[in-house]
């Protein structure tokens, strides 16, 4: 029998903090400006300068540590990580190695080993013939990013598949976004994720040799990259080989994995304590502030929605985006007779679909207020209009901002409540469609769909579906 293997994955996530200035100097942080306009002697590493720690970065970092349920260190220290590369003008990066600011946390099912503060490197741009200097084929360095405050979050190897990494990564991103301490935009690089991957015989508790998958700009790509790497490792092992420690890049366009560097070239960073910076010693007030100022975080919010009877899927969709959560809660506040499950389905279902149809209109720009969606849901729930008519009204509300009751009146969409009138239409539909009627009488109950459709057409969607079904079955002798 062949051995079953399981995958083991641990993540290292870099989060750029959205402080006003850089980690150790007063240069402004900003994305997308001309290159090298946000620089100074400190972040360019000119001789004779000294770094000063950004207090806002400490505050933001502590909030992340608290949100990840970490122990916040009473004392943490900075170290120098030495490496030579053009994006690193000091030839060392200031980071926290020996004593990070936060340890032993958890988010959902994944334990957090620690989180530490560090400064980002500058950005190297490989011009491929389009360089600034006479179209040169060169590598250029933009120091605007150099010195940006980063929090690196290191998980325990608790993840088991690419899909789990995507889902957990989305939870982490939503959690940090909720704190308002980072843009967490993967395409712009303010959230970056490296995945460490190994396999082992299922049930074993020792760790196999890991490879590291670098930096992809979406959780979908990370999921695919991880799945590709797990498949590769299983292939290597099942054909008698051994996984070698290396760093890999996944190309989402081709689905291929490329080796960036092998163990032989692995860095020895010669960490040294940073002598130019005092330790970070948060006051009791700072620690209290970080723990007590936490907003309701997405995981807790999703659990609360599920308690209200909202489906798991809708609860996750709503709680990962603050604006959507606010909109959903606005609907419930506007009319407390609406069932949360029903409101969640309208918000994440029909309403979200209408926004997508409108060129992916962001919720913030929508012309529909939670109160008017609540009115619409109320009209459907009280059977003043059918569900189908409700969709027609919603489409109009989303495109023109119209009031639901006005659309119903203007289009004459009130549900046909006179059952005598509806019965006539049903009888007519059976007469006009002898073929499906015959099939149904012959035992093919599925054919009833055609007759329901005919009635809906005749009533322009104004009939109650349940009632139509009941009358059809009655008249067909079912
Ligand atoms: P390194 O010494 O190579 O930096 P660490 O022990 O510091 O490795 O772990 C770095 C990251 O890799 C962590 O997220 C950790 O969970 C993960 N990791 C460590 N060993 C493995 C392994 N064998 N398989 C998968 N992930 C691992
Ligand atoms: Zn600077
Ligand atoms: Mg390490």
């Amino acid at each position: 029998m062949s051995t079953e293997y399981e995958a083991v994955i641990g993540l290292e996530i870099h989060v750029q903090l959205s402080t006003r200035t850089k980690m150790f100097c007063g240069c402004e942080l900003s994305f997308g400006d001309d290159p090298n306009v946000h620089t100074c002697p400190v972040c360019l590493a000119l001789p004779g300068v000294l770094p000063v720690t950004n207090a806002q970065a400490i505050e933001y970092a502590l909030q992340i540590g608290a949100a990840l349920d970490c122990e916040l260190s009473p004392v943490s220290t900075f170290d120098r990580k030495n490496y030579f590369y053009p994006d690193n003008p000091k030839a060392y990066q200031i980071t926290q190695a020996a004593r990070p600011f936060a340890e032993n946390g958890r988010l959902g099912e994944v334990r957090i080993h620690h989180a530490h503060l560090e400064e980002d490197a500058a950005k190297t741009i490989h011009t491929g013939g389009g360089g600034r200097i006479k179209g040169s084929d060169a590598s250029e360095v933009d120091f605007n990013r150099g010195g940006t405050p980063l929090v690196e979050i290191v998980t325990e190897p608790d993840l088991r598949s690419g899909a789990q990494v995507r889902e957990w990564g989305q939870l982490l991103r939503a959690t940090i976004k909720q704190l308002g301490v980072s843009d967490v935009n993967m395409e712009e690089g303010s959230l970056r994720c490296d995945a460490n991957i190994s396999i082992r015989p299922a049930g074993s508790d020792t760790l196999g040799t890991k490879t590291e998958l670098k930096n992809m700009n979406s959780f979908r790509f990370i999921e695919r990259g991880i799945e590709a790497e797990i498949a590769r490792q299983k292939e290597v092992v099942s054909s008698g080989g051994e996984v070698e420690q290396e760093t890999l890049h996944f190309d989402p366009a081709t689905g291929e994995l490329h080796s960036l560097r092998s163990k032989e070239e692995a860095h020895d960073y010669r960490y040294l304590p940073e002598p130019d910076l005092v330790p970070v010693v948060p006051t009791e007030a700072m620690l209290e502030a970080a723990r007590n100022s936490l907003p309701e975080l997405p995981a807790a919010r999703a659990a609360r929605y599920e308690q209200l009877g909202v489906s798991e899927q809708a609860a996750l969709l709503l709680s990962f985006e603050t604006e959507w959560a606010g909109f959903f809660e606005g609907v419930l506040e506007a009319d407390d007779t609406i069932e949360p499950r029903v409101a969640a389905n309208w918000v994440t279902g029909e309403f979200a679909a209408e926004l997508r149809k409108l060129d992916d209109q962001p919720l913030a720009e929508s012309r529909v207020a939670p109160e008017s969606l609540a009115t619409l849901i109320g009209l459907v729930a009280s059977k003043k209009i059918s569900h189908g008519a409700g969709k027609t009204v919603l489409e109009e509300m989303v495109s023109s901002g119209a009031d639901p009751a006005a659309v119903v009146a203007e289009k004459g969409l009130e549900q046909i409540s006179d059952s005598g009138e509806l019965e006539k239409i049903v009888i007519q539909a059976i007469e006009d469609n002898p073929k499906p009627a015959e099939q149904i009488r012959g035992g093919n109950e599925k054919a009833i769909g055609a007759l329901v459709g005919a009635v809906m057409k005749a009533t322009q969607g104004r009939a109650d579906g349940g009632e139509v079904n009941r009358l059809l079955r009655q008249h067909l002798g079912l």
Side-chain angles (χ1 to χ4, degrees), residues 252-411:
T254 61
E256 279 168 24
L257 294 153
H258 306 279
S259 182
L260 294 177
R261 62 180 119 88
S262 65
K263 191 181 182 177
E264 282 71 25
E265 302 161 61
H267 290 129
D268 174 5
Y269 293 117
R270 299 179 295 119
Y271 285 98
L272 301 168
E274 166 60 70
D276 289 344
L277 286 164
V278 293
V280 177
V281 186
T283 60
E284 202 46 50
M286 287 166 80
L287 295 174
E288 281 292 295
R291 292 197 195 97
N292 298 339
S293 67
L294 286 183
E296 183 184 36
L297 297 171
R301 193 184 299 133
R304 181 164 64 82
Y305 290 170
E306 282 188 60
Q307 287 268 302
L308 293 175
V310 174
S311 72
E312 183 186 356
Q313 200 195 1
L316 289 177
L317 279 171
L318 289 170
S319 48
F320 277 25
E321 299 285 344
T322 337
E323 313 90 81
W324 284 89
F327 190 92
F328 166 67
E329 297 194 15
V331 171
L332 297 183
E333 271 162 34
D335 179 352
D336 62 11
T337 66
I338 295 176
E339 274 180 64
R341 183 183 50 81
V342 173
N345 289 346
W346 275 97
V347 173
T348 62
E350 287 87 353
F351 178 56
E354 288 300 332
L355 294 190
R356 280 196 294 274
K357 275 205 261 169
L358 212 68
D359 234 359
D360 262 333
Q361 187 180 55
L363 180 62
E365 287 166 27
S366 168
R367 308 180 64 168
V368 178
E371 293 75 19
S372 74
L373 186 63
T375 306
L376 174 71
I377 297 172
L379 289 170
V380 176
S382 61
K383 304 211 165 198
K384 295 236 167 46
I385 61 174
S386 68
H387 190 93
K391 287 202 219 176
T392 310
V393 175
L394 182 61
E395 191 175 352
E396 187 66 36
M397 289 162 65
V398 169
S399 62
S400 72
D403 171 66
V407 180
V408 170
E410 184 190 316
K411 299 202 168 181

Side-chain angles (χ1 to χ4, degrees), residues 82-98:
N82 299 278
Y83 71 95
F84 180 75
Y85 201 70
D87 66 8
N88 175 26
K90 297 194 293 293
Y92 61 83
Q93 177 195 26
I94 304 178
T95 182
Q96 296 190 307

Side-chain angles (χ1 to χ4, degrees), residues 199-218:
I199 58 169
R200 65 184 177 192
S204 153
D205 53 13
T206 54
L207 291 169
T209 303
K210 69 176 158 71
T211 59
E212 187 174 354
L213 198 57
K214 274 283 174 196
N215 233 334
M216 278 157 297
N217 63 4
S218 86

Side-chain angles (χ1 to χ4, degrees), residues 109-347:
E109 73 277 27
V110 176
R111 290 168 300 154
I112 306 296
H113 180 271
H114 77 268
H116 65 260
L117 270 160
E118 60 188 29
E119 57 178 341
D120 208 347
K123 192 166 188 168
T124 38
I125 302 151
H126 306 289
T127 63
R132 292 177 168 256
I133 306 162
K134 295 189 182 139
S136 58
D137 184 0
S139 292
E140 298 177 341
V141 188
D142 176 4
F143 287 93
N144 286 350
R145 194 183 74 179
T148 297
L150 294 179
V151 163
E152 179 174 341
I153 299 162
V154 181
T155 77
E156 296 286 359
D158 287 348
L159 294 130
R160 295 290 176 269
S161 72
Q164 192 192 4
V165 168
R166 170 175 50 74
E167 282 167 21
W168 187 82
Q170 286 165 342
L171 172 64
L172 177 72
R173 180 173 59 190
T175 301
I176 295 172
K177 188 171 177 195
Q178 173 84 72
L179 298 175
V181 299
S182 169
D183 299 336
V184 290
N185 183 328
M186 296 184 85
E187 271 164 45
E188 292 182 358
S190 51
L191 183 73
R192 310 195 288 266
C193 181
D194 301 337
N196 299 273
I197 304 160
S198 63
I199 58 169
R200 65 184 177 192
S204 153
D205 53 13
T206 54
L207 291 169
T209 303
K210 69 176 158 71
T211 59
E212 187 174 354
L213 198 57
K214 274 283 174 196
N215 233 334
M216 278 157 297
N217 63 4
S218 86
F219 281 119
R220 296 259 164 218
F221 292 162
I222 293 175
E223 174 180 10
R224 286 177 49 207
I226 289 174
E227 291 306 333
E229 173 57 7
I230 293 171
R232 187 193 69 84
Q233 290 189 14
K234 286 184 179 168
E235 182 65 36
V236 168
V237 171
S238 64
S239 57
E242 273 180 25
V243 173
E244 277 174 47
Q245 190 175 323
E246 60 184 333
T247 303
L248 299 161
H249 170 75
F250 175 71
D251 182 351
T254 61
E256 279 168 24
L257 294 153
H258 306 279
S259 182
L260 294 177
R261 62 180 119 88
S262 65
K263 191 181 182 177
E264 282 71 25
E265 302 161 61
H267 290 129
D268 174 5
Y269 293 117
R270 299 179 295 119
Y271 285 98
L272 301 168
E274 166 60 70
D276 289 344
L277 286 164
V278 293
V280 177
V281 186
T283 60
E284 202 46 50
M286 287 166 80
L287 295 174
E288 281 292 295
R291 292 197 195 97
N292 298 339
S293 67
L294 286 183
E296 183 184 36
L297 297 171
R301 193 184 299 133
R304 181 164 64 82
Y305 290 170
E306 282 188 60
Q307 287 268 302
L308 293 175
V310 174
S311 72
E312 183 186 356
Q313 200 195 1
L316 289 177
L317 279 171
L318 289 170
S319 48
F320 277 25
E321 299 285 344
T322 337
E323 313 90 81
W324 284 89
F327 190 92
F328 166 67
E329 297 194 15
V331 171
L332 297 183
E333 271 162 34
D335 179 352
D336 62 11
T337 66
I338 295 176
E339 274 180 64
R341 183 183 50 81
V342 173
N345 289 346
W346 275 97
V347 173

